[in-house]
Coordinates of all heavy atoms in Angstrom, one line a residue:
M1 N 0.9 -1.2 0.0 CA 0.0 0.0 0.0 C 0.9 1.2 0.0 O 1.8 1.3 0.8 CB -0.9 0.0 1.2 CG -1.8 1.2 1.3 SD -2.8 1.1 2.8 CE -3.6 2.7 2.7
A2 N 0.6 2.1 -0.9 CA 1.4 3.4 -1.0 C 0.5 4.6 -0.9 O -0.7 4.5 -1.4 CB 2.2 3.4 -2.3
V3 N 0.9 5.6 -0.3 CA 0.2 6.8 -0.2 C 0.4 7.7 -1.5 O 1.5 7.7 -2.0 CB 0.7 7.6 1.0 CG1 0.0 9.0 1.1 CG2 0.4 6.8 2.3
T4 N -0.7 8.2 -2.0 CA -0.6 9.1 -3.2 C -0.8 10.5 -2.8 O -1.2 10.9 -1.7 CB -1.7 8.6 -4.2 OG1 -2.9 8.9 -3.6 CG2 -1.5 7.2 -4.6
H5 N -0.6 11.4 -3.8 CA -0.8 12.8 -3.6 C -2.3 13.0 -3.2 O -2.6 13.9 -2.3 CB -0.5 13.6 -4.8 CG 1.0 13.7 -5.1 ND1 1.7 12.8 -5.8 CD2 1.9 14.6 -4.6 CE1 2.9 13.2 -5.9 NE2 3.1 14.3 -5.2
D6 N -3.2 12.3 -3.8 CA -4.6 12.5 -3.5 C -4.9 12.1 -2.1 O -5.8 12.6 -1.4 CB -5.5 11.7 -4.5 CG -5.4 12.3 -5.9 OD1 -5.1 13.5 -6.0 OD2 -5.7 11.5 -6.8
D7 N -4.2 11.0 -1.6 CA -4.4 10.6 -0.2 C -4.0 11.7 0.7 O -4.7 12.0 1.7 CB -3.6 9.3 0.1 CG -4.1 8.1 -0.7 OD1 -5.3 8.1 -1.0 OD2 -3.3 7.2 -1.0
V8 N -2.9 12.3 0.5 CA -2.4 13.4 1.4 C -3.3 14.5 1.3 O -3.7 15.1 2.4 CB -1.0 13.8 1.0 CG1 -0.5 15.0 1.8 CG2 0.0 12.6 1.2
R9 N -3.8 14.9 0.2 CA -4.8 16.0 0.0 C -6.0 15.7 0.8 O -6.6 16.5 1.5 CB -5.1 16.3 -1.4 CG -4.0 17.0 -2.2 CD -4.5 17.4 -3.5 NE -3.4 17.7 -4.4 CZ -2.9 16.9 -5.4 NH1 -3.5 15.8 -5.6 NH2 -1.9 17.3 -6.1
H10 N -6.5 14.4 0.6 CA -7.8 14.0 1.3 C -7.6 14.1 2.9 O -8.5 14.6 3.6 CB -8.1 12.6 0.9 CG -9.4 12.1 1.5 ND1 -10.6 12.6 1.2 CD2 -9.6 11.1 2.4 CE1 -11.6 12.0 1.9 NE2 -11.0 11.1 2.6
V11 N -6.5 13.5 3.4 CA -6.3 13.6 4.8 C -6.1 15.0 5.3 O -6.7 15.4 6.4 CB -5.1 12.7 5.2 CG1 -4.7 12.9 6.6 CG2 -5.3 11.2 4.9
A12 N -5.5 15.8 4.5 CA -5.3 17.2 4.9 C -6.6 17.9 5.0 O -6.9 18.7 5.8 CB -4.3 17.9 4.0
E13 N -7.5 17.6 4.0 CA -8.8 18.2 3.9 C -9.7 17.7 5.2 O -10.4 18.5 5.8 CB -9.5 17.8 2.7 CG -10.9 18.5 2.5 CD -11.5 18.0 1.2 OE1 -10.8 17.7 0.2 OE2 -12.8 18.1 1.2
L14 N -9.6 16.5 5.5 CA -10.3 16.0 6.7 C -9.8 16.6 8.0 O -10.6 16.9 8.9 CB -10.1 14.4 6.8 CG -10.9 13.6 5.7 CD1 -10.5 12.1 5.9 CD2 -12.3 13.8 5.8
A15 N -8.5 16.8 8.0 CA -8.0 17.5 9.2 C -8.0 19.0 9.1 O -7.6 19.6 10.1 CB -6.5 17.0 9.4
R16 N -8.6 19.5 8.1 CA -8.7 20.9 7.9 C -7.3 21.6 7.9 O -7.1 22.6 8.7 CB -9.6 21.5 8.9 CG -11.0 21.1 8.7 CD -12.0 21.7 9.6 NE -13.3 21.1 9.4 CZ -14.4 21.5 10.1 NH1 -14.3 22.4 11.0 NH2 -15.5 20.9 9.9
L17 N -6.4 21.0 7.3 CA -5.0 21.5 7.2 C -4.7 22.0 5.8 O -5.1 21.3 4.8 CB -4.0 20.4 7.6 CG -4.0 20.0 9.1 CD1 -3.1 18.8 9.2 CD2 -3.7 21.1 10.0
G18 N -4.0 23.1 5.7 CA -3.6 23.5 4.4 C -2.2 22.9 4.1 O -1.3 22.9 4.9
V19 N -2.1 22.3 2.9 CA -0.9 21.7 2.5 C -0.5 22.3 1.2 O -1.2 22.3 0.2 CB -1.0 20.1 2.3 CG1 0.3 19.5 1.8 CG2 -1.4 19.5 3.6
D20 N 0.7 22.9 1.2 CA 1.2 23.4 -0.1 C 1.6 22.4 -1.1 O 2.0 21.3 -0.7 CB 2.5 24.3 0.2 CG 2.2 25.5 1.1 OD1 1.1 26.0 1.1 OD2 3.2 25.9 1.8
E21 N 1.3 22.6 -2.3 CA 1.6 21.7 -3.4 C 3.1 21.4 -3.4 O 3.5 20.3 -3.8 CB 1.2 22.2 -4.7 CG -0.4 22.3 -4.9 CD -1.0 20.9 -5.0 OE1 -0.4 20.0 -5.5 OE2 -2.1 20.7 -4.4
D22 N 3.9 22.3 -3.0 CA 5.4 22.1 -3.0 C 5.8 21.0 -2.0 O 6.8 20.4 -2.1 CB 6.1 23.4 -2.6 CG 5.8 24.5 -3.5 OD1 5.3 24.2 -4.7 OD2 6.1 25.7 -3.2
R23 N 5.0 20.9 -0.9 CA 5.4 19.9 0.1 C 4.8 18.5 -0.2 O 5.1 17.6 0.6 CB 4.9 20.4 1.5 CG 5.6 21.6 1.9 CD 5.4 21.9 3.3 NE 6.0 20.8 4.1 CZ 5.5 20.3 5.3 NH1 4.4 20.9 5.7 NH2 6.1 19.3 5.9
L24 N 3.9 18.3 -1.1 CA 3.2 17.1 -1.4 C 4.2 15.9 -1.6 O 4.1 14.8 -1.0 CB 2.3 17.1 -2.5 CG 0.9 17.7 -2.2 CD1 0.0 17.8 -3.4 CD2 0.2 16.9 -1.1
D25 N 5.2 16.1 -2.5 CA 6.2 15.1 -2.7 C 6.9 14.6 -1.5 O 7.1 13.4 -1.2 CB 7.2 15.6 -3.8 CG 6.6 15.7 -5.2 OD1 5.6 15.0 -5.4 OD2 7.2 16.5 -6.0
H26 N 7.3 15.6 -0.6 CA 8.0 15.3 0.6 C 7.1 14.5 1.5 O 7.5 13.5 2.2 CB 8.5 16.6 1.3 CG 9.1 16.3 2.6 ND1 10.3 15.8 2.8 CD2 8.6 16.6 3.8 CE1 10.6 15.7 4.1 NE2 9.5 16.2 4.8
L27 N 5.8 14.9 1.7 CA 4.9 14.2 2.6 C 4.6 12.8 2.1 O 4.5 11.9 2.9 CB 3.6 15.0 2.7 CG 3.7 16.3 3.5 CD1 2.4 17.2 3.4 CD2 4.1 16.0 4.9
V28 N 4.4 12.7 0.8 CA 4.1 11.3 0.2 C 5.3 10.4 0.5 O 5.1 9.3 0.9 CB 3.8 11.4 -1.3 CG1 3.9 10.1 -1.9 CG2 2.5 12.1 -1.5
A29 N 6.5 10.9 0.3 CA 7.7 10.1 0.5 C 7.8 9.7 2.0 O 8.2 8.6 2.3 CB 9.0 10.8 0.0
E30 N 7.6 10.7 2.9 CA 7.7 10.5 4.3 C 6.7 9.4 4.8 O 7.0 8.5 5.5 CB 7.5 11.8 5.1 CG 7.9 11.7 6.5 CD 8.0 13.0 7.2 OE1 8.2 14.0 6.5 OE2 7.7 13.1 8.3
L31 N 5.4 9.6 4.3 CA 4.4 8.6 4.8 C 4.6 7.2 4.2 O 4.4 6.3 4.9 CB 3.0 9.2 4.3 CG 2.5 10.4 5.1 CD1 1.3 11.0 4.5 CD2 2.3 10.1 6.6
N32 N 5.1 7.2 3.0 CA 5.4 5.9 2.4 C 6.6 5.2 3.1 O 6.6 4.0 3.3 CB 5.7 6.0 0.9 CG 4.4 6.1 0.1 OD1 3.4 5.6 0.5 ND2 4.5 6.9 -1.0
G33 N 7.5 6.0 3.6 CA 8.6 5.5 4.3 C 8.1 4.9 5.7 O 8.6 3.8 6.1
I34 N 7.2 5.6 6.3 CA 6.6 5.0 7.6 C 5.8 3.7 7.3 O 6.0 2.8 8.0 CB 5.7 6.1 8.2 CG1 6.5 7.3 8.6 CG2 4.9 5.5 9.3 CD1 5.7 8.5 9.1
L35 N 5.1 3.7 6.2 CA 4.4 2.5 5.9 C 5.3 1.3 5.6 O 5.0 0.2 6.0 CB 3.4 2.7 4.7 CG 2.2 3.6 5.1 CD1 1.4 3.9 3.8 CD2 1.3 3.0 6.2
E36 N 6.3 1.6 4.9 CA 7.3 0.6 4.6 C 8.0 0.0 5.9 O 8.2 -1.2 6.0 CB 8.4 1.1 3.7 CG 7.9 1.3 2.2 CD 9.0 2.0 1.4 OE1 10.1 2.1 1.8 OE2 8.6 2.4 0.3
H37 N 8.3 0.9 6.8 CA 8.9 0.5 8.1 C 7.8 -0.3 8.9 O 8.2 -1.3 9.5 CB 9.3 1.8 8.9 CG 9.9 1.4 10.1 ND1 11.2 0.9 10.2 CD2 9.5 1.5 11.4 CE1 11.6 0.7 11.4 NE2 10.6 1.1 12.2
M38 N 6.6 0.1 8.9 CA 5.6 -0.7 9.5 C 5.4 -2.1 8.9 O 5.2 -3.1 9.6 CB 4.2 0.0 9.5 CG 4.2 1.4 10.3 SD 4.6 1.2 12.0 CE 3.1 0.4 12.6
D39 N 5.5 -2.2 7.6 CA 5.5 -3.5 6.9 C 6.6 -4.4 7.3 O 6.4 -5.6 7.6 CB 5.5 -3.2 5.4 CG 5.2 -4.5 4.6 OD1 4.2 -5.2 5.1 OD2 5.8 -4.7 3.6
V40 N 7.8 -3.8 7.4 CA 9.0 -4.6 7.9 C 8.7 -5.1 9.3 O 9.0 -6.3 9.7 CB 10.3 -3.8 7.8 CG1 11.4 -4.5 8.5 CG2 10.6 -3.5 6.3
L41 N 8.2 -4.2 10.2 CA 8.0 -4.6 11.6 C 6.9 -5.7 11.7 O 7.0 -6.6 12.5 CB 7.6 -3.4 12.4 CG 8.6 -2.3 12.7 CD1 8.0 -1.2 13.4 CD2 9.8 -3.0 13.5
S42 N 5.9 -5.6 10.8 CA 4.9 -6.7 10.9 C 5.3 -8.0 10.5 O 4.7 -9.0 10.8 CB 3.7 -6.2 10.0 OG 4.0 -6.3 8.7
Q43 N 6.5 -8.1 9.7 CA 7.0 -9.4 9.3 C 7.9 -10.0 10.3 O 8.4 -11.2 10.1 CB 7.8 -9.2 8.0 CG 6.9 -8.8 6.8 CD 7.6 -8.4 5.6 OE1 8.8 -8.6 5.5 NE2 7.0 -7.9 4.6
V44 N 8.3 -9.4 11.4 CA 9.1 -9.9 12.4 C 8.4 -10.9 13.2 O 7.2 -10.7 13.7 CB 9.7 -8.8 13.3 CG1 10.5 -9.4 14.5 CG2 10.5 -7.8 12.5
D45 N 9.0 -12.1 13.4 CA 8.4 -13.2 14.2 C 8.6 -12.9 15.7 O 9.7 -12.9 16.2 CB 9.0 -14.5 13.8 CG 8.4 -15.6 14.6 OD1 7.2 -15.5 15.1 OD2 9.0 -16.7 14.6
T46 N 7.5 -12.6 16.4 CA 7.6 -12.3 17.8 C 7.0 -13.4 18.7 O 6.8 -13.2 19.9 CB 6.9 -11.0 18.1 OG1 5.5 -11.1 17.7 CG2 7.6 -9.8 17.3
T47 N 6.8 -14.6 18.1 CA 6.1 -15.6 18.9 C 7.0 -16.1 20.0 O 6.5 -16.6 21.0 CB 5.7 -16.8 18.0 OG1 6.9 -17.3 17.3 CG2 4.6 -16.3 17.0
E48 N 8.3 -16.1 19.8 CA 9.2 -16.6 20.8 C 9.7 -15.5 21.8 O 10.5 -15.7 22.7 CB 10.5 -17.2 20.1 CG 10.2 -18.4 19.2 CD 9.6 -19.5 20.0 OE1 10.0 -19.8 21.2 OE2 8.7 -20.2 19.5
S49 N 9.3 -14.3 21.6 CA 9.7 -13.1 22.4 C 9.0 -13.2 23.7 O 7.8 -13.6 23.9 CB 9.4 -11.8 21.7 OG 10.0 -11.7 20.5
E50 N 9.7 -12.8 24.8 CA 9.1 -12.7 26.1 C 8.4 -11.4 26.2 O 8.8 -10.4 25.6 CB 10.2 -12.8 27.2 CG 10.9 -14.1 27.3 CD 11.9 -14.1 28.4 OE1 11.7 -13.3 29.4 OE2 12.9 -14.9 28.3
K51 N 7.3 -11.5 26.9 CA 6.6 -10.2 27.2 C 7.4 -9.3 28.1 O 7.9 -9.8 29.1 CB 5.2 -10.5 27.8 CG 4.3 -11.2 26.9 CD 2.9 -11.4 27.6 CE 2.0 -12.0 26.7 NZ 0.6 -12.2 27.3
T52 N 7.5 -8.1 27.7 CA 8.2 -7.1 28.5 C 7.3 -6.2 29.3 O 7.7 -5.6 30.3 CB 9.2 -6.2 27.7 OG1 8.4 -5.6 26.7 CG2 10.3 -7.1 27.1
I53 N 6.1 -6.3 28.9 CA 5.1 -5.5 29.6 C 4.0 -6.4 30.0 O 3.5 -7.2 29.3 CB 4.5 -4.4 28.7 CG1 5.6 -3.4 28.2 CG2 3.4 -3.6 29.4 CD1 5.1 -2.4 27.2
S54 N 3.6 -6.2 31.3 CA 2.5 -7.1 31.8 C 1.6 -6.2 32.6 O 2.0 -5.2 33.2 CB 3.0 -8.3 32.5 OG 3.7 -7.8 33.7
A55 N 0.4 -6.7 32.8 CA -0.5 -6.0 33.7 C -0.1 -6.1 35.1 O 0.3 -7.2 35.5 CB -2.0 -6.5 33.4
P56 N -0.3 -5.1 35.9 CA 0.1 -5.2 37.3 C -0.9 -6.3 38.0 O -2.0 -6.3 37.7 CB -0.1 -3.8 37.9 CG -1.0 -3.1 36.9 CD -0.8 -3.8 35.6
T57 N -0.3 -7.0 38.9 CA -1.1 -7.9 39.6 C -1.9 -7.3 40.7 O -3.0 -7.8 41.2 CB -0.2 -9.0 40.3 OG1 0.8 -8.4 41.1 CG2 0.5 -9.8 39.2
E58 N -1.4 -6.2 41.2 CA -2.2 -5.5 42.3 C -2.7 -4.2 41.7 O -2.1 -3.5 40.9 CB -1.3 -5.2 43.5 CG -0.8 -6.4 44.1 CD 0.1 -6.1 45.3 OE1 0.0 -5.0 45.8 OE2 0.9 -7.0 45.8
C59 N -3.9 -3.8 42.2 CA -4.5 -2.5 41.7 C -4.0 -1.4 42.6 O -3.4 -1.6 43.7 CB -6.0 -2.7 41.9 SG -6.8 -3.9 40.9
T60 N -4.2 -0.3 42.1 CA -3.9 0.9 42.8 C -4.8 1.1 44.0 O -6.0 1.0 43.9 CB -4.0 2.2 41.9 OG1 -3.2 2.0 40.8 CG2 -3.7 3.4 42.7
P61 N -4.3 1.3 45.2 CA -5.2 1.4 46.3 C -6.0 2.7 46.2 O -5.6 3.7 45.8 CB -4.2 1.5 47.5 CG -2.9 1.9 47.0 CD -2.9 1.4 45.6
L62 N -7.3 2.5 46.6 CA -8.2 3.6 46.5 C -8.5 4.2 47.9 O -8.3 3.4 48.9 CB -9.5 3.2 45.9 CG -9.5 2.6 44.5 CD1 -10.8 2.1 44.1 CD2 -9.0 3.6 43.5
R63 N -8.8 5.4 48.0 CA -9.1 6.0 49.3 C -10.5 5.5 49.7 O -11.3 5.1 48.9 CB -9.0 7.5 49.3 CG -10.1 8.1 48.4 CD -10.0 9.7 48.5 NE -10.8 10.3 47.5 CZ -12.1 10.5 47.6 NH1 -12.7 10.1 48.7 NH2 -12.8 11.1 46.6
S64 N -10.8 5.6 50.9 CA -12.1 5.2 51.4 C -13.2 6.1 50.8 O -13.0 7.3 50.6 CB -12.2 5.2 52.9 OG -12.0 6.5 53.4
D65 N -14.3 5.5 50.6 CA -15.4 6.3 50.1 C -16.3 6.9 51.2 O -17.5 6.7 51.3 CB -16.3 5.4 49.2 CG -17.2 6.2 48.3 OD1 -17.0 7.4 48.1 OD2 -18.2 5.6 47.8
S66 N -15.6 7.7 52.0 CA -16.4 8.4 53.0 C -15.9 9.9 53.1 O -14.8 10.2 52.7 CB -16.1 7.7 54.4 OG -14.7 7.8 54.7
S67 N -16.8 10.7 53.4 CA -16.4 12.1 53.5 C -16.2 12.6 54.9 O -16.8 12.0 55.9 CB -17.5 13.0 52.8 OG -18.7 12.8 53.5
G68 N -15.4 13.5 55.1 CA -15.1 14.1 56.4 C -16.0 15.3 56.6 O -17.0 15.5 55.8
P69 N -15.6 16.2 57.5 CA -16.4 17.3 57.7 C -16.4 18.2 56.4 O -15.3 18.4 55.8 CB -15.8 18.0 58.9 CG -14.4 17.4 59.0 CD -14.5 16.0 58.4
I70 N -17.5 18.9 56.1 CA -17.5 19.7 54.9 C -17.3 21.2 55.4 O -18.1 21.7 56.2 CB -18.9 19.6 54.3 CG1 -19.1 18.2 53.8 CG2 -19.0 20.6 53.1 CD1 -20.4 17.9 53.2
P71 N -16.2 21.8 55.0 CA -15.8 23.1 55.5 C -16.9 24.2 55.3 O -17.1 25.1 56.1 CB -14.5 23.5 54.8 CG -14.0 22.2 54.3 CD -15.2 21.3 54.1
L72 N -17.6 24.1 54.1 CA -18.6 25.2 53.8 C -19.8 25.1 54.7 O -20.7 25.9 54.6 CB -18.9 25.1 52.4 CG -17.8 25.5 51.4 CD1 -18.2 25.4 50.0 CD2 -17.3 26.9 51.7
L73 N -19.9 24.0 55.5 CA -21.1 23.9 56.4 C -20.8 24.6 57.7 O -21.7 24.6 58.6 CB -21.5 22.4 56.6 CG -22.0 21.7 55.3 CD1 -22.4 20.3 55.7 CD2 -23.3 22.4 54.9
S74 N -19.6 25.1 57.9 CA -19.3 25.8 59.1 C -20.1 27.1 59.2 O -20.6 27.7 58.2 CB -17.8 26.2 59.1 OG -17.0 25.0 59.0
P75 N -20.3 27.6 60.4 CA -21.1 28.9 60.5 C -20.4 30.0 59.8 O -19.2 30.0 59.6 CB -21.1 29.2 62.0 CG -20.6 27.9 62.6 CD -19.9 27.1 61.6
L76 N -21.1 31.0 59.2 CA -20.6 32.1 58.4 C -19.6 32.8 59.3 O -18.5 33.3 58.7 CB -21.7 33.0 58.0 CG -22.6 32.5 56.9 CD1 -23.6 33.6 56.6 CD2 -21.7 32.3 55.6
E77 N -19.8 33.0 60.6 CA -18.9 33.8 61.4 C -17.5 33.2 61.4 O -16.5 33.9 61.7 CB -19.4 33.8 62.8 CG -20.7 34.6 63.0 CD -21.9 33.8 62.6 OE1 -21.8 32.6 62.4 OE2 -23.0 34.4 62.4
S78 N -17.3 31.9 61.1 CA -16.0 31.3 61.1 C -15.2 31.7 59.9 O -14.0 31.4 59.9 CB -16.2 29.7 61.2 OG -16.7 29.3 60.0
F79 N -15.8 32.3 58.9 CA -15.0 32.6 57.7 C -14.5 34.1 57.7 O -13.8 34.5 56.9 CB -15.9 32.5 56.4 CG -16.2 31.0 56.2 CD1 -17.5 30.6 56.4 CD2 -15.3 30.2 55.7 CE1 -17.8 29.3 56.2 CE2 -15.6 28.9 55.5 CZ -16.9 28.4 55.7
A80 N -15.1 34.9 58.6 CA -14.7 36.4 58.6 C -14.2 36.8 60.0 O -14.6 36.2 61.0 CB -16.0 37.2 58.3
A81 N -13.4 37.8 59.9 CA -12.9 38.4 61.2 C -14.0 39.1 61.9 O -14.0 39.1 63.2 CB -11.7 39.4 60.9
S82 N -14.9 39.8 61.2 CA -16.0 40.5 61.9 C -17.2 40.5 60.9 O -17.0 40.5 59.7 CB -15.6 41.9 62.3 OG -15.2 42.6 61.1
M83 N -18.4 40.5 61.6 CA -19.6 40.5 60.8 C -20.6 41.4 61.5 O -20.6 41.7 62.7 CB -20.2 39.1 60.7 CG -19.4 38.1 59.9 SD -20.3 36.6 59.7 CE -21.6 37.0 58.6
R84 N -21.6 41.9 60.7 CA -22.7 42.7 61.2 C -23.9 42.4 60.3 O -23.8 42.5 59.1 CB -22.4 44.2 61.2 CG -23.5 45.0 61.9 CD -23.2 46.4 62.0 NE -23.1 47.0 60.6 CZ -22.4 48.0 60.2 NH1 -21.8 48.7 61.1 NH2 -22.3 48.4 59.0
D85 N -25.0 42.0 60.9 CA -26.3 41.7 60.2 C -26.0 40.6 59.2 O -26.5 40.8 58.0 CB -26.9 43.0 59.6 CG -27.3 44.0 60.6 OD1 -27.6 43.6 61.8 OD2 -27.2 45.2 60.3
R86 N -25.2 39.7 59.5 CA -24.9 38.5 58.6 C -24.1 38.9 57.3 O -24.2 38.3 56.3 CB -26.1 37.7 58.2 CG -26.9 37.1 59.5 CD -27.9 36.1 59.1 NE -27.5 35.1 58.1 CZ -26.9 33.9 58.4 NH1 -26.4 33.7 59.7 NH2 -26.6 33.1 57.5
L87 N -23.5 40.1 57.4 CA -22.6 40.6 56.3 C -21.2 40.6 56.8 O -20.9 41.0 57.9 CB -23.1 42.0 55.8 CG -24.5 42.1 55.3 CD1 -24.8 43.5 55.0 CD2 -24.6 41.2 54.0
F88 N -20.3 40.3 55.9 CA -18.9 40.4 56.2 C -18.4 41.8 56.3 O -18.7 42.6 55.4 CB -18.0 39.6 55.2 CG -18.3 38.1 55.1 CD1 -18.9 37.6 54.0 CD2 -18.0 37.3 56.2 CE1 -19.2 36.3 53.9 CE2 -18.2 35.9 56.1 CZ -18.8 35.4 55.0
L89 N -17.7 42.2 57.3 CA -17.1 43.5 57.4 C -15.7 43.4 57.0 O -14.9 42.6 57.5 CB -17.2 44.0 58.8 CG -18.6 44.3 59.4 CD1 -18.6 44.7 60.8 CD2 -19.4 45.3 58.5
V90 N -15.3 44.3 56.0 CA -13.9 44.3 55.5 C -13.4 45.7 55.6 O -14.2 46.7 55.6 CB -13.8 43.8 54.1 CG1 -14.2 42.4 53.9 CG2 -14.7 44.7 53.1
P91 N -12.1 45.9 55.8 CA -11.6 47.2 56.0 C -11.6 48.0 54.6 O -11.6 47.4 53.6 CB -10.1 46.9 56.4 CG -9.8 45.5 56.0 CD -11.1 44.8 56.0
R92 N -11.8 49.3 54.7 CA -11.8 50.1 53.5 C -10.5 50.1 52.9 O -9.4 50.0 53.5 CB -12.2 51.5 53.9 CG -13.6 51.7 54.3 CD -13.9 53.2 54.4 NE -15.2 53.4 54.8 CZ -16.2 53.5 53.9 NH1 -16.0 53.4 52.6 NH2 -17.5 53.7 54.4
L93 N -10.5 50.2 51.6 CA -9.3 50.4 50.8 C -8.7 51.7 51.0 O -9.4 52.7 51.0 CB -9.5 50.0 49.4 CG -10.0 48.6 49.1 CD1 -10.3 48.5 47.6 CD2 -8.9 47.6 49.5
A94 N -7.4 51.8 51.1 CA -6.7 53.1 51.3 C -6.9 54.0 50.1 O -6.9 55.2 50.2 CB -5.3 52.9 51.6
T95 N -7.1 53.4 48.9 CA -7.3 54.2 47.7 C -8.6 54.9 47.7 O -8.9 55.8 46.9 CB -7.2 53.3 46.5 OG1 -8.2 52.3 46.5 CG2 -5.9 52.7 46.3
H96 N -9.6 54.6 48.6 CA -10.8 55.3 48.6 C -10.9 56.4 49.6 O -11.9 57.0 49.8 CB -11.9 54.3 49.0 CG -12.2 53.3 47.8 ND1 -13.0 52.2 48.0 CD2 -11.7 53.2 46.6 CE1 -13.0 51.5 46.9 NE2 -12.2 52.1 46.0
E97 N -9.8 56.7 50.3 CA -9.7 57.8 51.2 C -8.8 58.9 50.7 O -7.8 58.6 50.0 CB -9.1 57.3 52.5 CG -10.1 56.3 53.2 CD -9.5 55.7 54.5 OE1 -8.3 56.0 54.8 OE2 -10.2 55.0 55.2
D98 N -9.1 60.1 51.0 CA -8.2 61.2 50.7 C -7.1 61.3 51.7 O -7.0 60.5 52.6 CB -8.9 62.5 50.5 CG -9.6 62.9 51.7 OD1 -9.4 62.3 52.8 OD2 -10.4 63.9 51.7
D99 N -6.2 62.3 51.6 CA -5.0 62.4 52.5 C -5.5 62.6 53.9 O -4.7 62.3 54.9 CB -4.1 63.6 52.1 CG -3.5 63.3 50.7 OD1 -3.3 62.1 50.4 OD2 -3.1 64.2 50.0
A100 N -6.7 63.2 54.2 CA -7.1 63.4 55.5 C -7.8 62.2 56.1 O -8.3 62.2 57.2 CB -8.1 64.6 55.5
G101 N -7.9 61.2 55.4 CA -8.6 59.9 55.9 C -10.1 60.0 55.6 O -10.8 59.1 56.2
R102 N -10.6 60.9 54.8 CA -12.0 61.0 54.6 C -12.4 60.2 53.3 O -11.6 60.2 52.4 CB -12.5 62.5 54.4 CG -12.3 63.3 55.6 CD -12.6 64.7 55.3 NE -11.7 65.2 54.3 CZ -11.3 66.4 54.1 NH1 -11.7 67.3 54.9 NH2 -10.4 66.7 53.2
T103 N -13.5 59.6 53.3 CA -14.0 59.0 52.1 C -14.8 59.9 51.3 O -15.5 60.7 51.8 CB -14.9 57.7 52.5 OG1 -16.0 58.2 53.3 CG2 -14.1 56.7 53.2
P104 N -14.7 59.8 50.0 CA -15.4 60.8 49.1 C -16.9 60.5 49.1 O -17.4 59.4 49.4 CB -14.8 60.5 47.7 CG -13.9 59.3 47.8 CD -13.8 59.0 49.2

């Protein structure tokens, strides 16, 4: 099986890639080289080869399926330094005060 110019154009169109006509010869040669290499690899007899990769015998330990305390269920007061009427009180920003410390 060999890749043709039309094959490269078709794959490029499917992938929505622009391929310059100048590069078609190079891409066809490169893809055909890959296919030839894959053909050589497929002819290698591996029946006597030992497996070098095997599935692990033990699974990854999982954490227990229980939840601890949920932090967001804590009272609102625990999240702020000070509150008034269930609203968080935060210090004013210095950029909102003039030199005399007055707010506009």
Side-chain angles (χ1 to χ4, degrees):
M1 178 180 178
V3 175
T4 65
H5 287 91
D6 290 337
D7 294 331
V8 173
R9 284 188 199 104
H10 180 68
V11 170
E13 182 181 334
L14 291 175
R16 297 182 182 179
L17 295 173
V19 176
D20 294 332
E21 291 291 324
D22 301 342
R23 295 198 61 218
L24 276 179
D25 289 335
H26 174 72
L27 289 172
V28 166
E30 190 171 332
L31 291 172
N32 283 329
I34 292 170
L35 290 176
E36 288 172 12
H37 185 71
M38 296 299 290
D39 189 40
V40 170
L41 288 177
S42 68
Q43 295 173 7
V44 174
D45 182 18
T46 59
T47 57
E48 299 296 324
S49 300
E50 291 183 28
K51 290 184 178 179
T52 56
I53 298 175
S54 62
T57 56
E58 296 180 18
C59 297
T60 302
L62 302 175
R63 65 177 171 82
S64 64
D65 191 19
S66 62
S67 62
I70 300 173
L72 292 178
L73 292 179
S74 301
L76 285 178
E77 294 80 13
S78 67
F79 295 106
S82 60
M83 291 187 68
R84 185 177 63 203
D85 299 329
R86 298 193 49 83
L87 298 173
F88 297 110
L89 296 178
V90 294
R92 288 190 180 274
L93 296 174
T95 57
H96 291 170
E97 296 177 352
D98 60 8
D99 293 337
R102 296 176 298 211
T103 57

